[in-house]
Each structure stands twice: as structure tokens, then as C-alpha cells.
Amino acid sequence: MTVGVAVRGLPERAPSVRRGRFYLWLRRRSTIAVMMCFPLLAIITCLVAYPFAYSIYLSMLNKAETAFVGFGNFLFLFKRETFWLVVQQSILFALVAVIFKALIGLIAAHAVNTIPSKGQRKWRGMMMVPWVIPPALSTLGWWWLFEPTYSAFNWLLAEFAVPAVPWLSDVFWARFSVILVNVWVGAPFFLIMYLASLKSIPEDLYEAASIDGASAWQKLFHVTLPMMRNIIAITVLFSIIVTFANFDIVRVLTQGGPRNSTHLFATYAFRVGIESGDIPLGAAVSLFMFPALAILSFVILRNVRQRTVNI
Amino acid sequence: MANVSLTNLHKSFDRTEAVCGINLEIADNEFVVLVGPSGCGKSTTLRMIAGLEEITEGDIRIGGGLVNDVPPKDRNIAMVFQNYALYPHMTVFQNMSFGLRLRKYPKDEIQRLVGDAAEVLGITELLQRRPKQLSGGQRQRVAMGRAIVRNPQVFLFDEPLSNLDAKLRGQMRIEIKRVHQHLKTTTVYVTHDQVEAMTLADRVVVMNNGLIEQVGTPSELYHQPKTHFVAGFIGSPAMNFLNCKLFKDSGSLAVSVGDILKLQMPADRNTRYEPYLGRDLVLGIRPEHVHEKRAGNEVQTEVKVNFIEPLGMETMVYFTVNGVELCGRVSPEADPRPGQTAVLSFDAGKSHLIDPETNQVL
Amino acid sequence: MTNVTRNNGALSALLGSKSNIHVNRRWALFASYACLIVFVIFFLCPPFYMLVTSLKTNAEIANLATNPWLIEQGVTTEHYSHLLTETAFLTYFKNTVIVAFFVVAITMVVSVLAAYALSRLGFWGSGVMATGVFLVYLVPDSLLFIPLFNIVGGLGLLNSYWVLVLVYPTLTVPFCTWIMIGYFASIPKELDEAALIDGANHMQMLLKVFIPVALPGLIAATIFAFTVSWASFLYPLAYIYSDNQMVLTVGTVTTLIKGDVFHWGGLMAGALLAAAPPVILYAFLMDYYIAGLTSGATKG
Ligand SMILES: Nc1ncnc2c1ncn2[C@@H]1O[C@H](COP(=O)(O)OP(=O)(O)OP(=O)(O)O)[C@@H](O)[C@H]1O
Ligand SMILES: [Mg+2]
């Protein structure tokens, strides 16, 4: 029994002695790193950073993009009532929708986590459906549910002798509807985030709490929620960004109506910039989102920081 | 097969200096074990030999050739890691043959080499399994198999057994020894387990704070430690240390520990100890040289036992002398009881005297 | 002393009445199932209603007297066959597949390379860059679609689906890089060192060790990139207007609606068919995707 007699092509020869080669190799390592990151850098620079800078420049031009008007577009927006409606609706939309998404997500995650683990996958799978369908398409379904003449919801209400609801034509109900659809689309995301974080809480913490005589509510408030705090914070902040910048739902459901009452920054910018052809004004509208996004991102980053430090 | 030589080897990380000038010659076919407390630079030294860590200063030669600038794959070494580092997505066969495949060995040769290595380690039946389906000991064997298939010039082991339970560790120790006797490949082995070091090594290198304290065969380190650190580090339970004074007692030299203990030093050490007469020194004596009363001219002292540790074959007794807790090793028949007195004898001929200023053993 | 009695009390309360625990547990289960049923009805009612509508005859859809939630006058597939034969639906489908394919390919290559470099080749500025990648992920499409409109217009790409292949990576690459960094970072360092000693160079290390070991992450990232490029709505709506360049989301929502009468049956059939590929993908790979998505946040 002999092991590995012939070893071919391995340096029986004394390896070469020059120091230079090592530094060459070192250099090559960082060169490789930069080369590997280059496509990413190119995408970020050309398609994110540059457009952003360009957007600031654009927002200071006149409609024909021929003259520099400074803050003219911004001042013009300040004087428009519609713009303030958009600001108000965007904030209302983001906050109310996120609160309900977070609540539904939390309750659903708890419910799923309570039932025997055999059935959890099935229930979770069913509740993920809204999040899996492209939102523009599922909103189409909602639109049909809200359709004034044929509304299937109103048909149900009529069965209980409740008068028909003007889902998309009344200001209050239109706002209600876009928020409802957004909650429907976004709640599953909270569900899976919370479920993952619920499952990562070690079981013995609950056992220790039981031995200490904690009730179910006390366990929820003293074990579960504190353990989930970080993930709840990140998910909520993240969802505020996404909801605040939403476009699809409002665009398909109400196109901003009735009387511009459901416009968000994104849909309003689209209306002004693409549809009415005033690109600089549209750029100015979407830039108004930036401060809010920047602050939220900064807060998220502080939560996520630990991980990047470890890399 | 090759010798390895480290010359004035240094390694500093950003702030800390991990290795501060190591000189070591490892002969062909030798099994050298690096031991030392945690953080003393054992792994760093090994990783510099492997080429995984850049050398700050000094030279490493393998088989006579300077390898400072040679990347790991061209050093013709193999390494076994503490957590095995098996590729989880490959079968045992693929794990073992990965290096050969990257070096474009012909298929039938790969088959033969892996087959032979698997046979040496007794893992032939496991070749088609994945690492997840193996026990800790089997994984360790596979990791060794991966190292030996390439028939490297040098094997490097970094605490390969510390993830295993005590029993398996014993078995694998024997296995490693067997493989080394079979292949005779030069081996550098890092551990902090003394038993591993003593049983496996041709020579043991004791490191501390990035420096080599002593190099020697296991028995040299045990019987003739050169420094305070080595004396205390080798042997378990550790050597007892007592502050003492050297004086002349009716023609021969003796040490006294407070007023309690007086030990006559053997006459053949007179010339060695003479210059230190009247100095404060440290007396080192191993627990096995503090035992129950036996025939002979050893010093006997009555002590009060603090507590005992019966180990079956022998019993460790702990007692206080001059404010220092000492350990002795007595036969169970002596039956020491905590709180009671016992008569113990000190084997002065086996003791060491240490100069506390230089920390050298005299 | 008080401590002891209190603990005893708690312990006996805990152990004393086993049936009490049992009852509580039953109630918790009951409440959970009740919640789940309510939520599932809420979550599934629109897709269900879309399916029902798409299988009804036009006459029944128009008939206000019938129950809209049920099919009472016979199932028909006429909307589907009309969709596939008389409309540009299949063109949209083909365009979407092409776009999704290229976006996924570009995204995976770019983000795997970058994630490997950022997680393993630690170079000057790599930490900042990893953070930067995460920040870019937070930039929504609605912030940049207007300047990009001018930019792609300048490139002459307006009204071509290749513009989507160009701009979608801004939505997919940052997140995919981020989750791949997470997966790569969880591979123990010893594994690369073993591969280094075995003689692997960077490319071999990436292809033969990292990618196979991080395969679940790779699958999650792929699904993410696919979904984003399939579901995106704003960019195609802003940049594409010809029928032969249109993708599914916008095509279904805009062109199928045209005409005086809404063809609700056809519209719902279109929406369902267009949504089918991602839904089917999820049905099979849901676990990978969820693991990838949640690891992005929970590992932090
Ligand atoms: N990558 C590194 N960056 C900075 N310092 C390091 C690095 N690796 C090791 N060190 C430091 O170098 C010193 C020696 O480390 P080394 O890993 O060689 O110790 P060791 O003897 O192997 O210890 P152990 O028995 O715990 O494995 C330690 O103080 C350690 O903190
Ligand atoms: Mg170590």
C-alpha cells in the first residue's frame, strides 16, 4: 500500500526568489477586486448617481429646457394647491398604509407561528399570493372590484341592505381604496419578515419566562416584541420608503383622481413630467421625495450598520 | 519531503506584533508540534508557512528554496484546519480530489491516489458521501485525506482535533501518528493540548508572546525546562512555584521556603547554584514530586489539606505553604482527608530553581 | 423568604392546573385559525374574483342581476383564446421574457462578481462600497424616471424594450449584491484558504466553491431579479408606447383597456396570464426566496 508516489508538475525546483513577484501578486489581487466591482460601479455611477445629479440640473430649467430658471420650478410648485394636496396625501398614504400593513403582518405572523408547524407552510403560502402578483396587474383586479356599476363589493353590501359605496369617485373613499390596495399588496412582506424573526427567537426564552410566571401578554411585551424590535424597525422604515414612492397602485386605480386627491409624488411627477411634457417640473416634483427618503435611509442604515462593519 | 527553516520570522498586524522573530529548523521527516497559550502566535506562524499570511520580516525556506513570495498552491504543502473546512457541496471523493483536479491530473491517477489515501485512513466506504453525512471524526479523516492525496512536502495542522470529544481525540491522535510513521512527511502541528504535543512530537516548540521559549524533545521539555514559562506550561497539573532563598547548610546547598520548608539540593548542582547564594529565587517542583511519605532521604513536612481531587489511580491534594496553594500527588492508599493533616515528602532532586529576574531555570 | 413563596406560587400556578394551560392553548389555536381565515379571504378575494370574471361569458358579466362572485351561466375560455389569438398579448409576453432574461443574466454576473470582491478581497473602500450598495437599493424608481427619460432619449433607446434591459439593473443589482454579500460572508474563511492551498485561483474559487456553496442565495437573488423585471410598471409606462415593444404589465393595463366598452373578462384573463410566471415560480421556490429576502435583514 503506497500512497501518492508520482507527483507531477509540482515545484521540486526551488521556487524563485524575487520579492517583486509578491508585490505584483498583491497588486493583482486589488486589481482583480476593482475589476470585479467595476460593472457594479458603472451601473451605480451612470444610471443612479449621474441621473440624480442631472435631475437637479433639469429641475432648474424651463419647460423647453432652454433657459435656466433657478428655483423657479420649486417656487411655482409651492404656489400650486395641487402640490400641497400631493404632499398631504403622500404622507397620509405612507403612514396609514404602513401602520395597517405592520399590524396585519404582526397578527398574521403570530397566528401562523401559533398553529402546528405542519400547516404553517400552507397558510403562509396562501397569504403570500398578493405579494407575488405584479402589483399593476392585481390592482387591475381591484379596479374591477371597485367598478361603479358592477362593483362586486357593492353587490355584497346590497345583500345586507347597505347603500352602494362610491369607491373611486368620492375623495374619502378613493383615498381609502388606494390605501386598502396598498395594504393588501404590502402586508405579506411584513408577514414573512416578522415570521422569520419570530422563529429566530430561542424557545428557551419563553420557557424561562413561563417559569418566571409570565402570562401570554407579558411574554408578548417582554420577550417577543423586544426581541423583534430591530427587525420591526427596519421593516417599517423600509416599507415607508417603498410606500411613499409608490406609483403602480394609484396610477392604475385612480390616476390621481378624483380632483387630484389621490396623487402621490410619483404619479404627480409622471402626470406633469411625462404626460404634460414639462420634464423639468416633473423632475422638481420627484426631487421633493429626496429629503424624506434620505432621512429614512439614514435611519435604516444605522440599524443595518453592524453587518457592514463585519464585512 | 523537505526540511523547513524559519529565519528571524516576524509578523505584525495593524497594531499588534503576533510573531516577533522566530528561528527554527525543522528537519526532513520530522514531526514538530507548536504549543503555547492562546494568542501566542502559533497559528500565525503556521499560516505564514502555508503562505496564507504575508510575512512582515524574515525568511521561510521549504526544501531549501525561499518561499516568501510563493503563493500557497505552489509551496506544495497541505493543511488541515480545526473546523475541517470541507467543501460542503462536494462528496468526499470530490473533496479529496479537488486539488488534483485543479492541477489537471489524469482521471485514472486521481482515482488511484484518492483510493490509496482513503485506504490509509479507512474511509473507502465514505467516498460518495457528503460532509454533512459524516461524523466529526470521519470529517477529520477526510480533511487529512485531502491533505495526503497530493503527497505534499509538508503537512500543516492547526489544532485539528480540538473540535472532537476526548475519546475520539485519543483515537485520532494515534491515527495521525500512524499516518506520519507511514508517510514520513515533514509535519508542523499546532495545538494547545499538551498531551497531543507530548505524544505526537519528535520535537516540541513552546511559544509565548510571539517568541520561542524552548525547543526540545518532549522529555527534555518535561525534565529540563529552560525557562519559568516552560516549567509552568508543560505538565498537568502545573508545576508548583514557591519563593525561596538559597543558603549554605553544613557544606551543601539548600533552599528555605519561609521557616516551614527546607530542601537539600543535590550535590552535583553545587557549581551551578553557587553564584546565587543568598539570593531570592523561585523553587519549582512538580506535583508528582510531592507525594506521601516514602523510603529515602526526602524532606517530610506535615501540612494541612485544603481539599482533594481523587482521580482513581492517584489523588491530588491541595495544601498551603507560605501563603501559596500547592498541589501534590499521592497514592489513594495514603487516604488524605480535607481539613486533616498529612505528611508529604518533597523530592528535592527533581526540583528546579528559577532566577526571578531572568526567568531562566538555573 | 417572600421570594421563595412567590416563586412557589408561580410554580404551582404553572404546574398545578394542566387543564388550564390546555384551555389557553385551545383558545390561542382557535383565535389563530380565525385570524388566518379572515386574512386568507381578504388576501385571496381579488385573485379569486379575477379568475371568476375571466371564465364568465360577456353576457353574464354584463348582467347585473346575477351573483358576481359565482359563475352561473357556464364556464367559458373565450376570453383566453381571444387574448392569445386576437391581441398582441403574445408579443408582450415574448418581449417580457427577453427583458427578464437579459436583466437576470446581467444582474447575476454583476452582483456575484461584486459581492465576491466586497466580501472577500477586502480592499480600500470596500466597506464604504458595501454600505453604498445598500443605500442605492433604497433609491426608488420613481425618483429617477424623469432624468432617465431624457438620458435614454438622448441614447435613442426610447420606445425600445432594450431600454428596460439597461435601466432595470439599477433596481435589481443593489439588492442582489447585498444578499450575495450576506451569503458569501457566511462562508467560513477556512474554506477559501483550503481552496487556495488546493490551488484554486480567484475565478475557480468563485465558480467551484463560492457559487455552489451559496447556491440558495443565488437562487433567491435570481428570483428577485426575475420578479422585479417582470413586474416593473413605471419604466415601461414612461419609456415605451409602441405595441411591438410593449411588455406585459403595461400592455395589459393600457392597451387591453382601449375601446369604448371594457372587456372585463379579457382584461382579467390577461392580468392572470401575465401574473402566472412569477406565481408559478414562487409556488416552487418560495422557500429559497423567503430565506434570501429575510436573511438580508435578519442577519444584520
Ligand atoms: N487577522 C488578524 N488581525 C489582527 N490581529 C490578529 C490577526 N490574526 C491574529 N491576530 C493576533 O495575533 C496574535 C496571535 O494570534 P494567533 O492566531 O497566531 O494565536 P494562536 O497562538 O493560534 O492562539 P489560539 O491558540 O487561540 O489559536 C493574537 O494576539 C491575535 O489577536
Ligand atoms: Mg490558533
Side-chain angles (χ1 to χ4, degrees), chain A residues 65 121 124 132 144 245 307, chain C residues 53 137 142 150 178 282 287:
Chain A
E65 296 172 39
R121 249 181 70 90
R124 190 191 64 184
V132 167
W144 171 221
R307 200 181 118 182
Chain C
T53 306
Y137 165 51
S142 44
N150 266 13
W178 180 248
Y282 277 99
D287 291 327

Side-chain angles (χ1 to χ4, degrees), chain C residues 201-279:
Chain C
N201 60 31
H202 285 301
M203 267 303 145
Q204 288 168 324
M205 187 113 78
L206 186 59
L207 293 176
K208 299 201 167 143
V209 179
F210 273 66
I211 288 182
V213 172
L215 196 63
L218 209 76
I219 294 176
T222 308
I223 303 175
F224 176 83
F226 172 80
T227 321
V228 167
S229 43
W230 196 274
S232 245
F233 183 64
L234 174 54
Y235 284 151
L237 186 67
Y239 306 151
I240 292 176
Y241 37 85
S242 314
D243 240 14
N244 65 347
Q245 298 290 319
M246 197 65 90
V247 291
L248 273 177
T249 42
V250 180
T252 309
V253 172
T254 57
T255 54
L256 293 183
I257 286 175
K258 274 182 196 143
D260 294 339
V261 193
F262 290 134
H263 291 290
W264 287 107
L267 206 54
M268 293 302 118
L272 284 178
L273 273 191
V279 173

Side-chain angles (χ1 to χ4, degrees), chain C residues 31-56:
Chain C
S32 298
Y33 278 117
C35 282
L36 288 179
I37 289 168
V38 170
F39 285 141
V40 164
I41 290 174
F42 171 56
F43 285 136
L44 291 187
C45 100
F48 170 77
Y49 187 54
M50 291 164 81
L51 184 67
V52 166
T53 306
S54 75
L55 293 173
K56 272 189 209 179

